[in-house]
Amino acid sequence: NAEVAAAGMFLKGEGGDANHTRAVELYERAAAKGNVAALNGLGYAYFFGNHLPQDLPRAFGYFREASASEAAEGDSLFNAAHCLANGLGTERDEGAAVALYDAAAVRFGHFDSIHEMATRHMLGRVPRPSPSSSPNPNASGGDGHPLYQPRNVNQALRYLSPVARGGDWGGRVRSGFDAFLDVGKARRKLGVSGLHMLPSAISSPSSSDSSFSSSSSSSSSSSFSSALSSSGQVNS
């Protein structure tokens, strides 16, 4: 965890100059020990290619390993699902993607995953069960679409309600922390001492690409999963 936290600070230049090479080295050391945040961080780096050569299959490999870990959290599940849903670095598999989105939504209250599931139910983009798991593989839904289940606005509302109540709080937390860092820099320029310890483990969600989550856990909120499960709307 310390290696991941330090890597995040090296990437963003917090507490010193940015050093992407050192950040990747620390991520790789932590990933070799099975650290989920490090696996997710490396996947993120290879996915976008900002600090490493872009390599989508390798990125998906890291996301898949992170999502399969016993310590998997919302971001790693979402990122693996995003690749599967869009065929990025792997063959497209919407059924597997939806299973991961739903797990991230129900188990971790992952904001983007809850929103994704709501949108899919609202637009009729939830894949049908495979023929082997369906009692009648030739049956079609109310809209007759061969690949997707019919639109289910009631199910969509069950996901959307806690999202609407909670809002995208993770981004606001990060904005507040960034503002705090800016104030700290200003205070140091003025010779005013600040805190000795900062919550450096907080990582930035990707604000430039809302379809993807970075190597943080700030997207997860127990309030969302509680709202989904305590109301009896989704079985956790």
Side-chain angles (χ1 to χ4, degrees), residues 44-182:
Y44 187 83
Y46 279 111
F47 185 91
F48 286 108
N50 293 329
H51 312 308
L52 294 171
Q54 188 178 44
D55 188 335
L56 295 183
R58 191 168 184 177
F60 173 69
Y62 281 119
F63 292 145
R64 179 176 57 186
E65 185 177 352
S67 66
S69 168
E70 291 183 359
E73 35 61 65
D75 284 339
S76 56
L77 293 170
F78 178 89
N79 290 345
H82 180 74
C83 291
L84 287 164
N86 296 280
L88 300 171
T90 184
E91 291 188 11
R92 186 177 179 183
D93 188 339
E94 287 192 277
V98 165
L100 291 173
Y101 283 137
D102 196 55
V106 175
R107 291 171 54 194
F108 301 104
H110 189 267
F111 183 92
D112 289 335
S113 297
I114 295 174
H115 189 268
E116 178 71 23
M117 290 301 297
T119 301
R120 284 180 172 271
H121 280 293
M122 184 170 60
L123 300 179
R125 300 292 294 179
V126 176
R128 296 186 184 282
S130 63
S132 60
S133 63
S134 174
N136 183 2
N138 297 318
S140 61
D143 58 358
H145 197 289
L147 298 179
Y148 300 106
Q149 299 177 31
R151 294 177 67 233
N152 188 332
V153 293
N154 291 327
Q155 187 71 354
L157 184 61
R158 291 172 177 173
Y159 284 93
L160 286 172
S161 294
V163 170
R165 288 196 298 269
D168 192 3
W169 68 272
R172 295 173 186 168
V173 170
R174 180 65 214 187
S175 297
F177 182 54
D178 285 340
F180 168 77
L181 290 178
D182 289 339

Side-chain angles (χ1 to χ4, degrees), residues 184-202:
K185 292 175 183 177
R187 287 168 62 87
R188 286 193 293 275
K189 287 181 181 179
L190 295 172
V192 181
S193 62
L195 295 177
H196 292 289
M197 293 195 66
L198 300 175
S200 58
I202 298 178

